[in-house]
Amino acid sequence: FVNHVNRFTGLAYRDDPAILAFEVINEPLYPPNTTDAQVTEYIDALVGAVKGTGCTKPVAYNCWAGRHAAAAAARCDGVTFGWYPTGLVSGHMLADDCLPRVDRHPDMADDRLAGKLKLVYEFDAADVQGSYMYPAMARAFRMGGIQVATQFQYDPLCVAAGNPNWQTHFLNLAYAPNKTLSFAIAAEVFRSLPRGGDYGKYPDNTRFGACRVSFAENLSEFVTETEFLHSNTTATVPPAPGKLTHIAGCGSSPVVESGGGGAYFLDRISPDAWLLQAYPAAVLVDDPYRGGTNEKVRLLFAPIEFALHLPGWGGGFTVQGGQTAMKAEKGTFTVSPGEYLLVKTGAAVPARPADAPAFVLPAPVDRAPAAMIDAPPVWREGSDLPVQVTVAAAEVRACELRFQAAGASEVKTMPLALDGPCRFAGTVPAAWLTPGKARFEVRVTSRYHDQWLTQRFPGGLDRDLQLGANQNPTVLGLPSSPGSLEVNSAKDMDKPATASLRQEANGSRVVHLESGGFGPPPSCASVTLKDLAIPANIGLVDEVWFELRGAPATRKVEVGFRLADGRAYGDDVVVTPSWGTAILPVRNMRGLWGTQGKAELAGLTALRLTYGSWLFGTEGREHMVELRSVTLLPGGEGQAVEVRAASEPVDLVEPGLQPPTMRGSGARTLIVGGDRPGRRAMRVLVNGFEAEPGCTSGRMNVPAVARKQFADATPTTVVVTARSVAPATDRIELALVEADGAPWGTTVMLTPDWQQIRIPLGDFTFFKHWPHPEARGGEGDQAKAGNIRSVGLCFGAWQYPETRTQPHGFDIQSVSLE
């Protein structure tokens, strides 16, 4: 590989000046019991192979698995690190302050690596749309001695509107201007800060060198006598405005006011001329980190107003771009997105510098205005509910919210006020909120094709959304007679399928289907449930919750709803040996048995459970599935918010609403029903653990809305609502991490039944084996409820030395304080 000659350049890789160094392996995994001496020997063999070609470029080894001692003893010139301090694939934007996580990297400053070249092979502030993180990460890199740092991924302009490539990453100058300017500022920080400096801990380290970062202002800025870079509106005054030669920003500053656009760049190309590159406004119309290929950001090519407050530029000058030229009045002018020369009156017009950055934009899209609603999915009675809306429209005449409280038949309306460019905000009064599920829509009137268009969001409809009756969950009555069960069984099965009904002690009826193994597809077994007791509001159902369990080999079952006209809709749901509640949104159902079109339940006549070889294969197994209840959650259109009673504990995290990424041991997660209809939980399943330290772990951020609820309270107890869903599982580890990084943990004991497990906050012990602040964990120190910023979950081989190779799993609904 190193000797390979590039046929276009005629250079071998070992000689190519564009190649800085070789990383000989990326993210290595080691067999159990591999020693550091073996790793050192392996590294030396790789380095020897590269150096043996005559290559003089540095050779680096990846330290991601903690083999620092092995790398330090090896002949490699350098080491590489990766860093994702905010985790990966949260599935949504992280809105809380992530700066406490990037004071320093835990491994880069390892003294054993002092003589090595240090590189970061990939990093990102994943799932963070804010523009304050990258410079702080650059600061940590330089503190750790890093010489090269490469960010993981940049979105090509042609697809950036939907962020379809890596959903957890999102970086593009046109479509994510604030974040991209923050990245540009981070590059300046990286180049200008000395290696090995110490800048303290958050919040005392938000100023370093020429840079300042602020979570509250969503801001990064880099200010010198000649450069002024800012990722958002700032009040900072540069020290010598007359000496500035490079200005880049989003929003306004004391030297350049900018309204209505995205990023802009001003480069001084002569004493009497500036080159202006002005990008269009980028408006969020969906969460960029949600996944999928739908539009996430809309560019608005509306005119942009500028006002220069630079010495000598407050009077008249010409603005030239393309075939047009205009006169600025008192430093003020308005232009469309594009590239322009600003030239003082009477001065010669200079040529565009050959080395000026390219200016490229996608073509505008002609689509109806779009909007994104930002409101908490869960709230508490007694507090006003905040709602924000971003609207991608050239001109908005009215923006109002229509709100229907839980159990109410009337819809109340309130205006939303302009809260920034393309952004509207308001608060639903606490008096409107009652416990239960509320729904609301936002009605926007904006200009489109020179006409006023009124739309309702979510959905962008041109009619009022059908908010529904907001009735309580209802139960779909199962058959009471075995004659209402119709069994179908393939002839090539090991044992024919049978179905039966039984009644449990609490009066609930259970439908039981069992069979042997299957022949080749489409070999299957099914039971059809007829004579159902169907509620009147079946057409308004949002979700169907199934309480199921199955044999160990029966991992899934297809649930199908048959309508009176023969159409059928449904999907596969996961089944486990323990009773659990699978959730199937109606919008996610697919057409079954040849049915086309959007799913609906109006006209339901029968329910069918089916499994077969396409789900399990043809290996001979005993299969079984039992159905105990079917609960219908009605709703309608619009956006929902669950209002909790003030008497309930304050949830720190709800994994079923915002599940963390669980890593290690091949963990699988899914959202299931919790301890009551309407409450969601996260289920974590593994087939077994590798030898110690094999485990599965994940961390969840405490939302700002939750922190606000207990900031002034003094809770003393942690309440964990959870249960085991595997016979071998009876415990998990729970960790609470404070804003300064102090970690506190305990073991939570589980049973197969849902429990609210109460643990005194004082029983949490300091996790000294985790990275932690030096000043914490001493005698008398304990976890402080008001400072908790994240919650960690873990279970692994050390907890189950006798059963680590067996299947394990648990459901967790919430971690609360009271």
Side-chain angles (χ1 to χ4, degrees):
F1 178 81
V2 177
N3 283 328
H4 174 74
V5 175
N6 183 323
R7 63 191 175 96
F8 296 101
T9 65
L11 295 171
Y13 288 156
R14 68 171 183 267
D15 301 320
D16 194 325
I19 296 175
L20 173 69
F22 290 98
E23 181 198 51
V24 287
I25 190 171
N26 189 59
E27 300 183 356
L29 299 173
Y30 304 98
N33 304 315
T34 301
T35 65
D36 277 353
Q38 289 174 305
V39 176
T40 298
E41 182 182 8
Y42 174 60
I43 299 172
D44 286 345
L46 293 173
V47 173
V50 176
K51 298 289 187 181
T53 68
C55 178
T56 59
K57 296 182 184 298
V59 179
Y61 187 77
N62 187 283
C63 273
W64 90 309
R67 295 288 183 152
H68 301 73
R75 294 195 298 122
C76 58
D77 302 294
V79 290
T80 62
F81 300 89
W83 202 21
Y84 293 105
T86 59
L88 289 167
V89 199
S90 294
H92 58 89
M93 287 187 288
L94 300 180
D96 56 320
D97 187 354
C98 296
L99 285 174
R101 306 187 191 191
V102 291
D103 281 346
R104 64 189 67 238
H105 188 281
D107 299 324
M108 291 174 181
D110 191 318
D111 291 339
R112 294 171 294 183
L113 303 175
K116 303 286 187 183
L117 168 72
K118 295 180 181 179
L119 309 96
V120 172
Y121 68 97
E122 64 183 65
F123 75 91
D124 199 8
D127 300 312
V128 175
Q129 188 67 5
S131 65
Y132 62 91
M133 281 287 285
Y134 286 135
M137 295 180 71
R139 176 196 64 203
F141 291 155
R142 296 301 279 171
M143 288 173 64
I146 298 297
Q147 292 150 287
V148 176
T150 57
Q151 194 265 2
F152 181 74
Q153 184 248 355
Y154 186 83
D155 289 85
L157 192 65
C158 56
V159 297
N163 191 29
N165 193 10
W166 297 82
Q167 74 175 70
T168 197
H169 308 283
F170 187 47
L171 193 65
N172 180 279
L173 176 59
Y175 288 91
N178 307 83
K179 188 173 181 178
T180 307
L181 277 175
S182 176
F183 184 78
I185 291 168
E188 297 294 336
V189 169
F190 193 84
R191 285 189 282 266
S192 61
L193 287 185
R195 296 172 68 207
D198 191 342
Y199 299 92
K201 299 177 182 179
Y202 188 71
D204 299 323
N205 60 0
T206 57
R207 293 181 181 272
F208 40 95
C211 183
R212 180 174 74 93
V213 293
S214 170
F215 167 73
E217 299 170 67
N218 187 17
L219 174 68
S220 305
E221 61 182 24
F222 188 86
V223 187
T224 69
E225 286 194 344
T226 59
E227 288 186 293
F228 187 22
L229 317 178
H230 57 95
S231 69
N232 216 332
T233 294
T234 179
T236 297
V237 178
K243 296 181 180 180
L244 289 172
T245 60
H246 178 54
I247 304 170
C250 275
S252 295
S253 74
V255 293
V256 180
E257 291 183 58
S258 173
Y264 71 88
F265 297 84
L266 270 170
D267 288 285
R268 195 157 199 166
I269 57 177
S270 77
D272 298 322
W274 292 83
L275 177 68
L276 168 65
Q277 294 177 329
Y279 286 82
V283 183
L284 289 179
V285 295
D286 197 1
D287 189 329
Y289 307 100
R290 193 186 306 279
T293 60
N294 63 297
E295 184 184 35
K296 308 299 193 307
V297 181
R298 176 80 58 84
L299 299 186
L300 294 183
F301 286 76
I304 308 168
E305 298 177 359
F306 285 97
L308 268 57
H309 303 292
L310 293 164
W313 289 83
F317 53 87
T318 60
V319 180
Q320 301 190 11
Q323 303 299 316
T324 62
M326 68 185 73
K327 183 83 171 178
E329 298 292 339
K330 298 181 180 179
T332 300
F333 58 96
T334 299
V335 293
S336 297
E339 183 176 270
Y340 301 89
L341 286 172
L342 313 184
V343 184
K344 284 186 177 180
T345 302
V349 179
R352 184 186 191 278
D355 59 351
F359 181 80
V360 182
L361 283 178
V365 298
D366 184 12
R367 298 189 188 127
M372 182 183 76
I373 301 171
D374 181 15
V378 176
W379 199 246
R380 295 172 70 82
E381 67 172 336
S383 298
D384 295 343
L385 171 70
V387 177
Q388 285 191 339
V389 185
T390 52
V391 181
E395 182 181 355
V396 178
R397 185 169 69 180
C399 184
E400 61 182 11
L401 182 141
R402 298 175 66 243
F403 186 86
Q404 184 180 34
S409 57
E410 65 173 331
V411 175
K412 297 181 178 181
T413 302
M414 58 172 286
L416 298 177
L418 188 65
D419 190 45
C422 303
R423 188 173 68 246
F424 296 81
T427 55
V428 179
W432 291 11
L433 305 179
T434 56
K437 182 172 287 188
R439 286 187 177 271
F440 64 91
E441 67 167 355
V442 174
R443 182 161 51 195
V444 177
T445 300
S446 59
R447 186 174 291 281
Y448 179 57
H449 285 180
D450 295 325
Q451 294 182 343
W452 292 109
L453 173 66
T454 298
Q455 299 166 282
R456 278 76 176 178
F457 297 97
L461 305 176
D462 59 359
R463 58 168 174 80
D464 285 348
L465 295 180
Q466 307 304 303
L467 293 179
N470 283 321
Q471 298 174 3
N472 292 324
T474 57
V475 173
L476 183 70
L478 299 181
S480 57
S481 168
S484 298
L485 304 181
E486 180 182 290
V487 182
N488 285 286
S489 180
K491 295 180 180 180
D492 58 2
M493 295 173 58
D494 295 340
K495 184 177 70 174
T498 60
S500 61
L501 274 174
R502 76 166 188 274
Q503 188 159 323
E504 297 191 325
N506 62 2
S508 61
R509 290 189 291 273
V510 175
V511 177
H512 176 96
L513 173 68
E514 66 174 72
S515 68
F518 302 94
S523 181
C524 64
S526 68
V527 57
T528 301
L529 286 60
K530 300 180 292 186
D531 302 324
L532 303 171
I534 300 173
N537 66 341
I538 189 73
L540 292 176
V541 169
D542 276 353
E543 296 176 336
V544 186
W545 293 38
F546 305 91
E547 192 177 10
L548 299 150
R549 70 177 177 181
T554 312
R555 301 178 299 276
K556 286 186 177 181
V557 62
E558 180 188 271
V559 179
F561 293 90
R562 191 174 68 200
L563 310 185
D565 59 8
R567 289 178 298 154
Y569 302 96
D571 208 345
D572 301 338
V573 298
V574 174
V575 179
T576 61
S578 300
W579 284 110
T581 303
I583 301 173
L584 182 56
V586 174
R587 67 182 180 276
N588 291 352
M589 293 182 185
R590 68 180 194 273
L592 301 177
W593 321 322
T595 302
Q596 303 293 324
K598 182 180 177 181
E600 61 174 312
L601 297 185
L604 178 66
T605 60
L607 170 66
R608 190 166 90 173
L609 306 177
T610 308
Y611 57 64
S613 53
W614 84 93
L615 289 174
F616 314 129
T618 58
E619 184 179 351
R621 297 280 186 91
E622 293 289 323
H623 287 286
M624 180 273 293
V625 65
E626 290 188 326
L627 174 66
R628 186 156 66 182
S629 68
V630 179
T631 303
L632 308 173
L633 272 65
E637 298 171 338
Q639 186 151 324
V641 56
E642 183 74 24
V643 179
R644 302 278 166 77
S647 58
E648 291 192 39
V650 178
D651 289 332
L652 285 171
V653 292
E654 293 190 60
L657 289 178
Q658 294 185 334
T661 299
M662 301 296 294
R663 303 190 178 279
S665 299
R668 310 183 310 279
T669 60
L670 60 150
I671 304 305
V672 298
D675 66 348
R676 76 197 85 159
R679 293 301 296 267
R680 286 169 163 74
M682 178 181 71
R683 177 166 295 177
V684 182
L685 300 170
V686 296
N687 291 328
F689 300 107
E690 299 172 347
E692 291 190 39
C695 66
T696 293
S697 63
R699 186 180 293 192
M700 297 157 284
N701 297 319
V702 179
V705 292
R707 297 201 303 267
K708 178 181 178 181
Q709 294 292 334
F710 64 81
D712 298 326
T714 56
T716 59
T717 303
V718 176
V719 183
V720 182
T721 303
R723 66 170 184 167
S724 164
V725 294
T729 304
D730 66 357
R731 66 195 64 195
I732 59 173
E733 182 179 87
L734 177 71
L736 310 175
V737 183
E738 295 184 50
D740 64 356
W744 305 84
T746 191
T747 297
V748 181
M749 304 303 297
L750 307 177
T751 71
D753 298 319
W754 280 108
Q755 296 184 89
Q756 288 192 330
I757 306 157
R758 286 176 164 77
I759 308 167
L761 196 57
D763 287 357
F764 282 75
T765 59
F766 193 73
F767 273 13
K768 293 182 178 180
H769 57 290
W770 282 32
H772 60 270
E774 297 177 2
R776 298 297 304 275
E779 185 176 353
D781 194 7
Q782 71 173 45
K784 299 173 177 59
N787 291 339
I788 298 171
R789 293 296 181 268
S790 64
V791 177
L793 299 172
C794 182
F795 68 151
W798 79 93
Q799 294 172 311
Y800 299 102
E802 304 297 327
T803 62
R804 72 170 180 83
T805 60
Q806 297 181 21
H808 286 272
F810 66 93
D811 289 348
I812 182 164
Q813 176 176 292
S814 61
V815 178
S816 310
L817 291 176
E818 66 176 14

